[in-house]
Amino acid sequence: MVARSEESRQAILKSTLKLLGVGARRGTTIQKLTIEAIAKQAGVSKSTIYRWWDNKAAVVIDAFVSEYLTHTPVREDVPFEVALREHVAAVVHQYAGLDGKLVAQLIAEAQYDPAAMQEFHERFWLGRRAAVEALIRRGIDEGVVRSDAEPGMLANLAYAPIYLRLLLHDGPLDAKFAGEIVELALHGIGLRSNALEGSSAG
């Protein structure tokens, strides 16, 4: 029974992604997607879907997370800077494709649907930020991030430019951009100490 339930759950998640266009040339938007359509595609009843999820946003987010997390790991087997660079590069790469479109639609829908916003926070955002905060704490322990840095703020600094560019389309989501984000997060916008010394000497 447990195996069959999990099989149904996975079918629902895969069907949701298929309807949204993952692995296909085109799909529907999150706004137009319905629980009825998901149930029909998965071959289950609507009540089966509501057994695990309270609303459409929760289904979509879990389906997205199942696809997204495998492509954007926060590695623990490499030094902090390597892990940060790889993670940011992976996020930028994923958001340049369909994953980015799905997240943008989720964020848009959440602006007028408090339940969708709560689902987005609880099922996706808080977990992702916590993973990066843990990575930054490891950087502090490794002595490559200053000890007075606030992990939550640095995590926001790493993610904010990605979401800004994703939502406003003010530039490409590419490898160059990913590298610039990490450099800014690691080194900030302050003048180098030798530049400050030169200024005071003048």
Side-chain angles (χ1 to χ4, degrees):
M1 185 66 178
V2 174
R4 181 174 296 180
S5 295
E6 181 57 24
E7 184 178 325
S8 295
R9 185 176 181 277
Q10 290 302 318
I12 292 165
L13 295 176
K14 290 177 182 178
S15 295
T16 301
L17 290 173
K18 185 174 182 179
L19 289 168
L20 290 170
V22 174
R25 289 188 176 182
R26 57 192 304 180
T28 189
T29 63
I30 293 174
Q31 186 177 18
K32 293 181 179 179
L33 182 68
T34 64
I35 291 292
E36 289 81 3
I38 297 172
K40 182 178 180 180
Q41 180 71 36
V44 302
S45 65
K46 289 189 345 182
S47 61
T48 298
I49 294 177
Y50 286 121
R51 185 185 307 162
W52 289 296
W53 298 279
D54 293 332
N55 51 52
K56 179 182 69 175
V59 184
V60 172
I61 293 167
D62 276 4
F64 163 74
V65 169
S66 69
E67 164 75 10
Y68 172 83
L69 294 186
T70 59
H71 299 293
T72 58
V74 180
R75 295 179 60 183
E76 298 180 358
D77 61 330
V78 294
F80 160 77
E81 186 171 339
V82 174
L84 181 63
R85 289 186 182 279
E86 288 187 0
H87 177 66
V88 170
V91 172
V92 169
H93 177 74
Q94 287 302 114
Y95 280 6
L98 181 60
D99 281 353
K101 293 179 180 178
L102 293 181
V103 168
Q105 290 177 43
L106 281 168
I107 292 173
E109 183 140 325
Q111 299 311 300
Y112 59 85
D113 185 344
M117 180 64 79
Q118 183 176 350
E119 296 287 1
F120 184 79
H121 272 265
E122 294 180 355
R123 293 176 179 270
F124 174 66
W125 176 248
L126 294 180
R128 285 286 79 192
R129 192 174 70 173
V132 176
E133 287 180 16
L135 175 61
I136 292 167
R137 282 191 287 271
R138 179 153 66 85
I140 294 173
D141 293 339
E142 291 178 10
V144 294
V145 176
R146 69 190 211 201
S147 60
D148 64 335
E150 204 287 297
M153 181 61 71
L154 286 182
N156 285 343
L157 284 174
Y159 276 132
I162 301 173
Y163 281 87
L164 183 66
R165 185 162 289 193
L166 172 68
L167 296 173
L168 298 184
H169 302 282
D170 65 342
L173 288 160
D174 55 19
K176 180 176 181 293
F177 176 58
E180 291 170 346
I181 292 170
V182 175
E183 289 302 319
L184 187 61
L186 291 177
H187 304 298
I189 60 173
L191 294 172
R192 294 285 188 268
S193 59
N194 58 355
L196 288 172
E197 291 170 2
S199 175
S200 61

